[in-house]
């Protein structure tokens, strides 16, 4: 017993001594040696950081020993990124930042090595939610369309699905709280199921990401980063209010978070309510109204060599489904048909640091309830529950020189259950498992290489539904799919101004239950869909090439891609009808998509407050028989003039203003059952800033979208066939008040 007690005391003493590991230092301006107040000092792998005080001093405690990437950033300075070795006791590290007109860089979280954008071999687009809100987006789905190469398939204003370079639905994976968001994404007639409140930033991987995320990431990944916990020994709170003139919409959220040295807590609640939106011709789109309530909370513990966090998100949506122009009212309660959707997201993330290596474990459980109510029905005609458990285990091997390697396993267990009179897909169980290995190698000639390989297997077990031979009958299904995928990328920096990237990646997608088993009228589409149980994997190979040039006056980039998809699954009419509904069959054929984005950003020195931005994006999608794919975004050109000022006077901390003209061209490359779309121009303006009220900073923003009240129909609107236009002029007024 005495020996055991001695061992325990020794272990506790070792832990206590290890807990004293810290790093401290001073951050200064490299030019004039002035200390920098408010510089961010952050270890991305440890997810731990602080800011410098008025003397430029910082200190971080309770750090594990080992080598970790340290990021130091400050507005108006070039972001510093370097590896720091943490030893026992206190590590002293001073840094000097170089003034720069280039905007501050952020850590990319959606890639496994958590590097700055300039260090990544794979280019990932990133946008702050604060910037998207400043542009007047009503919903998260609308906001992400401001990211080059990203659009949204919409049904009115409240329902939207992300489109990345022409691919959508189950071909684009959405991640929230570090886990895959599962909410019946095979259907276009419901939204993302997550509020923008409590979302800090959005990252977009444009291209196959099956190596990192498995099936359903064939077209790319939309990665939603939740807001961070408060810094150690700090408490924060805020209230945010937004008003939208077009829908008389009200959006409000409030948050509170507090952190000690080890324990952390946060809570945020939000609510939104919108009436029917008005088109450019001042027509009210009946039943486009929607309501949303959302709550996000989290707790975390961060020790020396161990940290863990638990987050929970509940989202409730009540969505009207617009079908025709009818009653012109300002009511907020949806009419029939409408949907009621509940999303529960519970996630756990744990990191254990072993000095030279680390283990990251992410577990998630999502529960989605989707109900649809039709006119004259007492209960829900459609009532579906989807329960998903997923796991992600990543082991960061010890570094070998400049070589970083990660191996891991990912998987998912999912059950779908029906309780209504109708069934779009059968009661079914889905099981996924995948194994991956990926490496990043940094060369001394300012170049990097990244490569990896992965194996996946998916098993689907669906039950019989209905009576054989009758409408709506779904036969039982027992299918399995597997795939090997790989990725290879190379990045080269020339003179620290010109960066070239080339990436080759394969991806795969197993057919979803709707494609395999459908046999009936699909809700909201007015067509009779018949599935195909013999469908095989979609398999693609995409080549991405990008060139980026940056100096103190301008930034210029060109991104090009070619995506070859074998056995692309699509739906096509067979010319028959069932009960006045046209019959569509699921089929397969090889396809190709190609295009890219071009962008220019001019910020002339010394006029650092002036920004001139222009971007063009294009994508073309064709089947092997030379017919066009459906839901391919039209080419577009966006031009923005933006100003940004800091320390304008004693009461105005910062301010901005912008004017944007988005020109969307005609889309004549429509599929066989689509309509071509006319081009249009949308003029958006906005201004805002941070002012001081009783020495407290308050953010105020005012924007106007479609300020000329243009009447238009987007090619990706599911209301296009009914001749229903998109939203007209919308004035947005928002205020954020810290507590």
């Amino acid at each position: 017993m005495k020996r055991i007690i001695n061992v325990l005391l020794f272990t506790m003493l070792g832990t206590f001594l290890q807990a004293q590991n810290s790093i401290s230092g001073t951050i200064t301006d490299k030019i004039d040696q002035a200390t920098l107040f408010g510089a961010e000092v952050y270890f991305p792998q440890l997810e731990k950081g602080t800011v410098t005080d008025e003397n430029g001093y910082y200190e971080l405690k309770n750090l594990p020993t080992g080598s970790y990437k340290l990021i130091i950033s400050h507005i108006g300075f070039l972001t510093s990124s370097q590896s720091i070795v943490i030893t026992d006791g206190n590590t002293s590290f001073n840094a000097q930042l170089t003034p720069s007109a280039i905007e501050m860089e952020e850590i990319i979280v959606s890639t496994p090595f958590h590097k700055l954008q300039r260090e990544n071999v794979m280019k990932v687009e990133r946008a702050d939610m604060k910037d998207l809100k400043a542009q007047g987006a009503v919903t998260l789905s609308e906001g992400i369309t401001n990211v080059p190469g990203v659009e949204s398939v919409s049904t009115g204003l409240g329902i939207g699905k992300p489109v990345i370079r022409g691919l959508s639905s189950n071909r684009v994976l959405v991640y929230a709280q570090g886990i895959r968001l599962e909410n019946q994404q095979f259907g276009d007639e419901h939204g993302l199921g997550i509020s923008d409140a409590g979302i800090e930033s959005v990252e977009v991987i444009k291209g196959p990401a099956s190596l990192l995320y498995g099936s359903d990431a064939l077209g790319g990944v939309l990665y939603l980063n939740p807001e961070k916990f408060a810094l150690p020994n700090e408490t924060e709170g805020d209230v945010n209010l937004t008003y939208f003139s077009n829908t008389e919409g009200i959006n409000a959220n409030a948050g509170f978070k507090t952190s000690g040295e080890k324990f952390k807590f946060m809570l945020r609640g939000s609510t939104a309510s919108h009436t029917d939106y008005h088109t450019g011709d001042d027509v009210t789109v009946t039943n486009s109204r929607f309501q949303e309530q959302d709550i996000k909370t989290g707790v975390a513990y961060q020790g020396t060599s161990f940290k863990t966090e638990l987050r929970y998100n509940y989202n409730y949506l009540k969505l009207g489904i617009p079908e025709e122009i009818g009653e012109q009212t300002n009511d907020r309660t949806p009419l029939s048909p409408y949907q009621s959707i509940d999303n529960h997201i519970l996630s756990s993330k744990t990191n254990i640091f072993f000095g030279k290596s680390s283990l990251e474990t992410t577990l998630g459980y999502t529960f989605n309830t989707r109900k649809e109510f039709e006119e004259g029905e007492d209960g829900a005609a459609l009532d579906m529950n989807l329960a998903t458990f997923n796991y992600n285990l990543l082991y960061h091997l010890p570094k070998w020189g400049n070589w970083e390697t990660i191996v891991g396993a990912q998987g998912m267990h999912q059950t779908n259950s029906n309780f209504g009179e109708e069934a779009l897909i059968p009661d079914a169980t889905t099981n996924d498992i995948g194994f991956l290995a990926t490496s990043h190698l940094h060369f001394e000639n300012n170049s990097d290489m990244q490569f990896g390989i992965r194996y996946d297997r998916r098993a689907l077990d669906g039950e019989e539904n209905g009576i054989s031979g009758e409408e709506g009958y779904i036969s039982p299904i027992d299918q399995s799919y597997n795939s090997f995928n790989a990725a290879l990328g190379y990045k080269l920096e020339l003179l620290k101004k010109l960066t070239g990237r080339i990436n080759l990646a394969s991806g795969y997608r197993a057919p979803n239950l709707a494609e395999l088993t459908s046999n009936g009228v699909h809700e909201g589409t007015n067509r009779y869909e018949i599935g195909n149980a013999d469908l095989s994997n979609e398999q693609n190979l995409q080549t991405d090439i990008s060139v980026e040039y940056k100096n103190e006056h301008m930034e210029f980039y060109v991104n090009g891609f070619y995506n070859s998809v074998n056995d692309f699954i699509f739906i096509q009419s067979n010319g028959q009808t069932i009960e006045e509904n046209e019959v569509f069959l699921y089929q397969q054929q090889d396809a190709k998509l190609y295009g890219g984005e071009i962008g220019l950003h001019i910020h002339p020195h010394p006029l650092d407050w002036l920004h001139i931005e222009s971007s063009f994006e294009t994508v073309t999608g064709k089947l092997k028989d030379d017919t066009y794919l459906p839901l391919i975004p039209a080419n577009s050109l966006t031009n923005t003039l933006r100003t940004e000022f800091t320390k304008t006077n004693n009461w105005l901390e910062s301010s901005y203003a912008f004017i944007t003209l988005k020109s969307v061209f005609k889309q004549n490359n429509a599929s066989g059952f689509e309509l071509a779309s006319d081009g249009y121009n949308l003029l958006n303006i906005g201004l805002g800033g941070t002012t001081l009220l009783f020495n407290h900073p308050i953010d105020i923003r005012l924007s106007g979208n479609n300020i000329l009240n243009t009447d238009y129909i987007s090619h990706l609107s599911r209301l296009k066939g009914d001749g229903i236009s998109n939203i007209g002029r919308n004035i947005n007024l928002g205020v954020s008040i810290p507590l």
Side-chain angles (χ1 to χ4, degrees):
M1 176 62 71
K2 183 177 180 181
R3 180 178 297 178
I4 294 175
I5 293 175
N6 288 336
V7 170
L8 289 174
L9 289 173
F10 179 79
T11 303
M12 292 172 64
L13 178 62
T15 302
F16 173 77
L17 291 175
Q18 189 181 33
Q20 306 311 303
N21 300 340
S22 63
I23 185 172
S24 61
T26 303
I27 311 301
T28 58
D29 185 327
K30 187 175 183 179
I31 303 301
D32 60 14
Q33 308 304 312
T35 58
L36 295 178
F37 169 65
E40 297 181 8
V41 182
Y42 187 68
F43 286 97
Q45 188 176 352
L46 305 178
E47 295 185 4
K48 192 165 189 175
T50 186
V51 295
T52 56
D53 62 17
E54 61 273 9
N55 298 314
Y57 178 78
Y58 74 92
E59 183 178 17
L60 282 167
K61 301 177 181 179
N62 298 322
L63 300 175
T65 58
S67 178
Y68 302 98
K69 181 80 72 175
L70 179 65
I71 305 297
I72 304 174
S73 58
H74 193 287
I75 295 176
F77 292 84
L78 188 66
T79 300
S80 169
S81 172
Q82 50 191 303
S83 293
I84 300 295
V85 177
I86 303 298
T87 58
D88 292 336
N90 181 69
T91 300
S92 178
F93 179 75
N94 301 320
Q96 294 182 324
L97 299 185
T98 303
S100 173
I102 298 175
E103 297 180 356
M104 191 170 66
E105 291 186 273
E106 300 286 351
I107 300 295
I108 301 300
V109 180
S110 55
T111 55
F113 297 101
H114 291 189
K115 296 182 179 295
L116 295 174
Q117 179 63 278
R118 71 171 183 263
E119 300 173 320
N120 263 335
V121 174
M122 177 191 300
K123 186 174 182 181
V124 178
E125 299 288 350
R126 184 187 183 280
D128 285 326
M129 187 56 60
K130 183 178 180 180
D131 294 336
L132 297 181
K133 289 182 177 180
Q135 297 177 56
V138 178
T139 63
L140 179 60
S141 298
E142 182 185 3
I144 61 175
T145 63
N146 292 298
V147 178
V150 182
E151 294 293 340
S152 177
V153 176
S154 64
T155 308
L157 189 62
I159 303 175
K161 288 287 193 180
V163 179
I164 299 179
R165 286 177 167 175
L167 296 177
S168 59
S169 192
N170 275 98
R171 298 182 180 94
V172 171
L173 193 59
V174 178
Y175 256 62
Q177 298 178 193
I179 65 173
R180 57 188 294 158
L181 183 61
E182 290 290 316
N183 65 345
Q184 312 284 8
Q185 55 264 49
F186 68 88
D188 294 331
E189 63 281 356
H190 64 100
L192 282 174
I194 189 168
S195 168
D196 59 12
I199 301 296
E200 184 174 280
S201 63
V202 176
E203 295 176 14
V204 182
I205 300 177
K206 295 184 291 189
S210 293
L211 172 68
L212 303 177
Y213 299 105
S215 180
D216 302 342
L218 177 142
V221 173
L222 178 67
Y223 200 98
L224 307 176
N225 290 313
E227 66 176 308
K228 296 185 179 72
F229 289 93
L231 294 175
N233 301 313
E234 290 194 8
T235 298
E236 303 173 16
D238 59 86
V239 175
N240 306 276
L241 302 171
T242 309
Y243 174 76
F244 301 92
S245 65
N246 188 288
T247 62
E248 299 181 8
I250 301 171
N251 192 329
N253 76 81
F256 168 81
K257 51 186 176 181
T258 185
S259 294
E261 279 294 339
K262 295 184 177 182
F263 289 97
K264 306 178 182 182
F265 171 77
M266 66 164 53
L267 175 66
R268 182 170 299 278
S270 69
T271 182
S273 177
H274 294 264
T275 65
D276 297 337
Y277 75 84
H278 303 269
T279 69
D281 276 351
D282 201 28
V283 173
T284 301
V285 179
T286 308
N287 208 30
S288 59
R289 64 201 72 169
F290 66 96
Q291 302 169 5
E292 181 179 34
Q293 283 80 46
D294 186 271
I295 186 169
K296 295 181 175 74
T297 188
V299 294
Y301 172 83
Q302 189 157 25
T304 301
S305 300
F306 170 84
K307 72 180 187 68
T308 186
E309 66 177 48
L310 181 69
R311 292 179 184 258
Y312 171 71
N313 178 205
Y314 170 69
N315 182 271
Y316 171 74
L317 279 167
K318 192 172 183 180
L319 300 159
I321 302 177
E323 294 182 321
E324 59 184 6
I325 303 298
E327 185 182 9
Q328 306 283 287
T329 71
N330 290 327
D331 291 342
R332 296 180 182 272
T333 302
L335 306 170
S336 297
Y338 70 90
Q339 286 193 351
S340 174
I341 301 174
D342 294 270
N343 278 307
H344 300 265
I345 306 173
L346 180 65
S347 64
S348 167
K349 181 181 178 182
T350 301
N351 294 75
I352 304 175
F353 303 99
F354 304 111
K356 294 184 178 180
S357 63
S358 64
L359 176 65
E360 178 180 321
T361 303
T362 305
L363 306 176
Y365 178 77
T366 60
F367 187 78
N368 170 262
T369 299
R370 177 180 170 194
K371 297 180 180 180
E372 182 164 318
F373 298 85
E374 299 178 355
E375 189 173 0
E377 299 285 345
D378 293 333
L382 187 69
D383 188 349
M384 305 167 65
N385 288 353
L386 184 70
T388 307
F389 170 76
N390 53 58
Y391 58 89
N392 183 8
L393 309 176
L394 296 177
Y395 180 63
H396 296 248
L397 276 66
K399 290 183 180 179
W400 183 35
N402 292 326
W403 196 309
E404 300 175 70
T405 299
I406 297 174
V407 296
Q410 296 174 342
M412 178 180 76
H413 174 76
Q414 185 176 87
T415 57
N416 181 79
S417 305
N418 289 279
F419 299 95
E421 297 179 1
E422 303 174 3
L424 294 181
I425 58 177
D427 293 355
T429 301
T430 303
N431 284 295
D432 281 1
I433 189 168
F435 303 94
L436 69 104
T438 181
S439 294
H440 183 107
L441 178 60
H442 177 72
F443 299 101
E444 298 300 329
N445 63 343
N446 291 324
S447 65
D448 296 81
M449 178 180 289
Q450 189 168 312
F451 50 91
I453 190 169
R454 177 183 179 121
Y455 170 78
D456 283 279
R457 185 180 187 276
R458 167 169 289 187
L460 289 170
D461 183 9
E463 299 180 10
E464 182 181 38
N465 186 81
I467 301 175
S468 179
E470 293 188 2
E471 180 183 331
Y473 172 74
I474 298 176
S475 59
I477 186 172
D478 184 6
Q479 299 275 36
S480 63
Y481 306 89
N482 59 80
S483 178
F484 278 99
N485 289 284
L488 173 65
Y490 181 72
K491 177 184 72 73
L492 177 63
E493 290 186 19
L494 299 173
L495 305 176
K496 295 185 179 181
K497 294 182 179 180
L498 183 66
T499 302
R501 292 180 174 89
I502 181 169
N503 283 272
L504 293 134
S506 66
Y508 98 104
R509 182 180 75 91
N512 62 50
L513 288 168
E515 295 163 338
L516 292 167
T517 65
S518 289
N519 186 20
V521 178
H522 195 293
E523 299 300 320
T525 64
N526 297 321
R527 64 191 185 205
Y528 195 104
E529 297 185 2
I530 298 178
N532 182 353
D534 296 324
L535 295 174
S536 57
N537 278 344
E538 290 183 340
Q539 193 80 40
N540 78 326
L541 177 64
Q542 180 166 313
T543 302
D544 284 273
I545 299 177
S546 68
V547 177
E548 183 176 354
Y549 176 81
K550 286 186 178 182
N551 63 23
E552 63 176 345
H553 301 292
M554 65 168 289
E555 302 170 41
F556 176 75
Y557 67 85
V558 179
N559 304 326
F561 75 95
Y562 185 88
N563 188 3
S564 175
V565 186
N566 293 331
D567 295 321
F568 186 88
I569 300 173
F570 64 101
I571 194 166
Q572 189 173 58
S573 171
N574 67 355
Q576 300 178 5
T577 60
I578 297 178
E579 296 182 355
E580 299 182 354
N581 293 298
E582 193 171 1
V583 177
F584 284 77
L585 307 177
Y586 282 99
Q587 302 181 36
Q588 287 188 296
Q589 190 179 137
D590 292 349
K592 59 184 177 182
L593 298 98
Y594 52 90
E597 304 88 34
I598 301 174
L600 174 66
H601 180 188
I602 300 174
H603 40 80
H605 188 72
L607 304 178
D608 299 335
W609 52 269
L610 178 63
H611 299 262
I612 303 170
E613 302 172 5
S614 182
S615 65
F616 174 77
E617 51 192 89
T618 179
V619 59
T620 300
K622 286 186 174 183
L623 290 169
K624 188 176 181 179
D625 63 10
D626 214 34
T627 58
Y628 289 101
L629 294 176
L631 299 177
I632 299 297
N635 297 343
S636 64
L637 174 66
T638 304
N639 293 292
T640 299
L641 177 65
R642 178 165 52 93
T643 62
E644 293 180 349
F645 295 95
T646 57
K647 290 293 181 182
T648 306
N649 51 49
N650 291 333
W651 60 272
L652 191 60
E653 288 283 299
S654 63
S655 63
Y656 70 87
F658 69 86
I659 180 170
T660 297
L661 178 64
K662 182 171 184 178
S663 301
V664 180
F665 300 95
K666 291 183 178 180
Q667 178 57 290
N668 293 321
N669 301 334
S671 71
F673 59 93
E674 278 187 314
L675 298 173
S677 301
D678 293 330
Y680 51 89
N681 295 289
L682 300 177
L683 183 65
N684 305 325
I685 61 174
L687 56 88
T690 302
T691 185
L692 294 177
L693 182 63
F694 303 111
N695 291 323
H696 289 284
I698 296 178
D699 290 337
I700 300 175
R701 60 185 183 275
L702 176 66
S703 64
N705 287 4
N706 190 7
I707 201 69
L708 299 180
N709 210 27
T710 301
D711 190 61
Y712 72 99
I713 301 179
S714 167
H715 186 69
L716 298 186
S717 170
R718 296 181 66 251
L719 303 179
K720 181 176 61 175
D722 298 315
I724 299 177
S725 300
N726 289 71
I727 188 172
R729 181 187 299 113
N730 190 22
I731 307 299
N732 170 306
L733 176 62
V735 59
S736 297
I737 306 171
L739 302 177

